[in-house]
Amino acid sequence: MQSYMFSVAGCGIRLLLPPYAAVETLLPSFRDFRGAPSEGDEALVALSAVEEGLPPMTEGDILLDVAENDMGVTRLFRLPHGGGYRILLRCSPQGPEHTMLADSRFRRLRAHILWDDPYAGAALSSMLRIAFSQAILLHDGISLHAAAVVWQHRAFLFMGKSGTGKSTHARQWLQTFAGATLLNDDNPILRLSADGPVVWGSPWSGKTACYHNAVVPLAGIVRLQQAPDNRFVPLADVEALTAILPGCSVIPSDGVLSRALYATLSAVVTAVPVGRLLCRPDADAAQVCASGLSGL
């Protein structure tokens, strides 16, 4: 087996893959993240690919969720007796189903990946994203469904339901404010640091190829809502927390992970401005959003 180490949001991801599984081809979006983590030598997430398959499903496996998106169909099961989780992932309608077993904190993973599948790399990347999004919760981190823009050396997060215009609003900032850049278009990592909340790029960014291994102080979070006029509404306390919560990756039924998420979110909403932007998809929306955040 070949060993590979990646650093995402300052934490390590270690892979053990068979020699014929070329990581450069399978995980091109991880190229900028190759290397040792900044937080010690131990990997937060360690995935070992197995050749012989994994223990089959049992009647004790409890289906928790079925998610279907542009990455395929994912089924999440809780294993009996606190044994962790099983993830079944199919990347194409007629393609094979890949399997991953994870411990209760998603730190140690065994994956049976069918390498003949043209989407094997996408399956491996999705497995790592799922595991990392849960493991980071216990390390003052949150994997967010958001677009992250950097302007004046600070990061701004734009959240909302799919189709509400996160990417469009991010592009408006890039076109409106000189020097603004895109850090990540779909899955940045939010973490608490000694100096306050920060935003990291990640190797997962939806349909936009934007994979930057960089960290920037967080300056504000905005939830977008389509409307006929542009208006910024400040949010605080519970309203701010509930505005961000739907975009956070967590298994709701897992009490330990959920409590860790709430603790991190509570610290974030007291540290940075949070608001709701009722908006049109135009340049004025970016101006209204920036003015609303700077006024808080």
Side-chain angles (χ1 to χ4, degrees), residues 1-5 14-21 23 34 47:
M1 301 291 277
Q2 297 288 325
S3 177
Y4 304 93
M5 179 66 86
R14 186 180 299 279
L15 298 183
L16 285 176
L17 302 178
Y20 52 80
V23 72
R34 190 80 175 261
L47 183 148

Side-chain angles (χ1 to χ4, degrees), residues 1 5 11 72 74 98 116 216 222 255-256:
M1 301 291 277
M5 179 66 86
C11 298
T74 303
H98 307 269
D116 291 339
V216 185
V222 178
V256 173

Side-chain angles (χ1 to χ4, degrees), residues 100-116:
M100 180 174 74
L101 294 181
D103 65 13
S104 61
R105 297 297 158 252
F106 286 86
R107 297 199 59 178
R108 299 296 174 260
L109 320 166
R110 290 182 294 155
H112 185 224
I113 297 172
L114 304 172
W115 302 109
D116 291 339

Side-chain angles (χ1 to χ4, degrees), residues 82-98:
Y85 294 91
R86 182 190 303 271
I87 293 91
L88 302 180
L89 195 152
R90 192 186 305 274
C91 295
S92 61
Q94 305 304 320
E97 198 165 49
H98 307 269

